[in-house]
Amino acid sequence: MREVAVVGIGLTEFGEKWDTSFRNLFVEAGANALEDAGMSGDQIDEIFVGNMSGGRFVLQEHIGALIADHAGLTKNHIPATRVEAACASGGLAFRQAYTTVASGMQDIVIAGGVEKMTDVGGSETTDALAGAADREWEGLVGATFPGLYAMIANDYINKYGLTREQLAMVSVKNHRNGAKNPIAQFRKEISVEAVMKSTLVADPLRLLDCSPVTDGAAAVILCPMEMAREFTDTPVKVLASAQATDTISLHDRRDISTLDATVAAGRRAFQQAALTPKDIGMVEVHDCFTIAELCAIEDLGFCAKGEAGKLTEDGQTALDGSIPVNPSGGLKSCGHPVGATGIKQVAEIVEQLRGEATGRQVDAEIGMTHNVGGTGATVVCNILGV
């Protein structure tokens, strides 16, 4: 296996992008990544595009070919593949690109992700996202994702004594970070009181505990480490990429407030990189709901089970804490265009490790990403370093 580096990153702003189309979002992110790497589209050997539900949100399938065509990359007839793993689609697209380069199959590969979620109404969005759960055993009986994560939150609170204030502090911290991120959907700080007084969605989760509906795209370019200096003076090495799977239905889990696929994917990533959680300088975790961030911190091994609330309350997950979590603002503040989220996480780590995250820069040489599909049926973890 060859060593692999990320040599280019590109992002759109995240938010309600009424003035642009699904295809143009990805082209913008891809063009930004090519410019960042100082290369042309003719140098690309393959594309992997993370997308959860283009067919529901914009009535478009055959996403890989669409993106390659609209990006002007069909001249050389390169392979272009859509990757779908619910909200982990972006993370899995990155993993596919990484293994393709590491294996020697291709040299220069784009891993991207895109979602245009605001072109349909709220009820249709909720129903489309429910397809990431078990439609027959969960969706058809009314279990939406806020409801499923509320079950996780209630189980966690009953087991470990998490306070409502500690849960709210996750959102407050991520909005503080997102306010410093120029691509974030919500660039505004909020208070614990605001979170606790926001509209109840699924007890105990309130509106400001939940990630938003978002449009956006992200792209990164990977190549063998031996070629990386041709494109950038600051290549970021991919130290590990791991995936794990669990039951799609929450009720079939061993423990609903421990995501066993996170535990497994994290463990595999640490083994690949020959590292431990103590070696990680920052982490982007999948905070689709505030409770999800707390579970992720614990399941990845950054603290013991039941301690993440106190860790957050003590400021240890803040930008200047012992383990900065979601410097980008996370899904909660930066936004969650589901197919793009896993790629945005990688781009944030790369930007941080380059020392280019103005206003939210952390001191780290190794970073980790954690991208979840559904309630944890698919988890992808990546570790990158300089």
Side-chain angles (χ1 to χ4, degrees):
M1 297 282 281
R2 299 188 295 183
E3 294 185 336
V4 178
V6 177
V7 295
I9 60 173
L11 298 152
T12 68
E13 287 189 10
F14 283 11
E16 297 181 359
K17 308 296 287 183
W18 302 107
D19 58 346
T20 191
S21 68
F22 173 86
R23 63 188 72 189
N24 284 344
L25 282 169
F26 187 87
V27 170
E28 179 185 344
N32 289 341
L34 288 169
E35 182 179 2
D36 185 52
M39 67 174 64
S40 72
D42 288 341
Q43 294 172 272
I44 302 300
D45 295 321
E46 190 160 359
I47 306 173
F48 293 94
V49 183
N51 175 258
M52 175 184 166
S53 200
R56 293 292 300 273
F57 292 133
V58 294
L59 304 180
Q60 178 68 58
E61 303 289 3
H62 210 174
I63 302 298
L66 175 85
I67 295 302
D69 185 11
H70 201 67
L73 298 177
T74 54
K75 179 174 66 174
N76 296 326
H77 307 293
I78 65 172
T81 305
R82 172 192 180 178
V83 178
E84 190 281 314
C87 304
S89 298
L92 189 54
F94 180 82
R95 176 168 160 76
Q96 294 297 102
Y98 164 72
T99 55
T100 297
V101 175
S103 70
M105 182 70 73
Q106 304 285 14
D107 286 332
I108 303 176
V109 178
I110 290 182
V114 59
E115 212 77 55
K116 187 82 162 66
M117 304 173 68
T118 62
D119 287 2
V120 298
S123 60
E124 189 170 349
T125 299
T126 299
D127 187 64
L129 293 172
D134 189 314
R135 176 69 73 176
E136 183 174 350
W137 287 101
E138 294 175 326
L140 292 181
V141 295
T144 63
F145 272 98
L148 291 167
Y149 274 93
M151 294 179 196
I152 293 173
N154 280 310
D155 183 68
Y156 186 101
I157 288 168
N158 289 331
K159 284 178 178 174
Y160 304 113
L162 177 73
T163 69
R164 190 62 191 78
E165 288 80 6
Q166 289 172 334
L167 192 61
M169 287 173 188
V170 174
S171 187
V172 171
K173 181 263 298 178
N174 288 345
H175 273 262
R176 186 185 308 122
N177 296 348
K180 301 175 177 68
N181 187 346
I183 75 154
Q185 183 168 359
F186 298 126
R187 285 169 245 174
K188 181 179 180 181
E189 294 192 30
I190 59 174
S191 66
V192 168
E193 182 182 20
V195 178
M196 294 178 65
K197 288 186 175 180
S198 61
T199 303
L200 186 65
V201 176
D203 192 34
L205 301 178
R206 295 183 173 269
L207 183 63
L208 291 180
D209 287 297
C210 309
S211 60
V213 172
T214 312
D215 303 330
V220 299
I221 301 174
L222 300 89
C223 76
M225 180 62 77
E226 63 202 40
M227 297 174 57
R229 296 278 176 189
E230 298 176 25
F231 307 109
T232 179
D233 293 330
T234 54
V236 174
K237 184 179 177 181
V238 183
L239 302 175
S241 184
Q243 178 185 357
T245 308
D246 203 348
T247 66
I248 192 169
S249 296
L250 190 61
H251 65 259
D252 282 335
R253 304 279 173 82
R254 176 190 65 82
D255 175 358
I256 69 169
S257 54
T258 297
L259 275 63
D260 283 342
T262 293
V263 176
R267 184 185 300 120
R268 290 168 187 168
F270 288 126
Q271 288 173 347
Q272 285 178 32
L275 297 171
T276 72
K278 292 181 180 179
D279 298 311
I280 303 299
M282 58 167 289
V283 60
E284 284 278 317
V285 304
H286 196 95
D287 62 314
C288 49
F289 300 91
T290 47
I291 187 62
E293 176 168 314
L294 298 179
C295 290
I297 294 168
E298 297 168 350
D299 296 343
L300 291 171
F302 293 108
C303 65
K305 205 67 189 174
E307 293 182 357
K310 188 66 166 57
L311 197 73
T312 302
E313 183 178 9
D314 290 344
Q316 296 306 307
T317 60
L319 292 176
D320 59 352
S322 59
I323 177 64
V325 178
N326 286 330
S328 71
L331 286 59
K332 176 63 197 75
S333 177
C334 191
H336 185 28
V338 289
T341 287
I343 301 296
K344 182 272 295 184
Q345 292 177 329
V346 172
E348 175 68 18
I349 298 294
V350 171
E351 196 169 14
Q352 290 280 353
L353 297 182
R354 289 175 174 178
E356 298 173 352
T358 304
R360 63 185 194 284
Q361 184 66 52
V362 302
D363 182 15
E365 295 183 352
I366 299 174
M368 185 174 193
T369 70
H370 163 261
N371 193 199
V372 175
T375 54
T378 300
V379 175
V380 182
C381 290
N382 300 296
I383 302 176
L384 300 99
V386 290

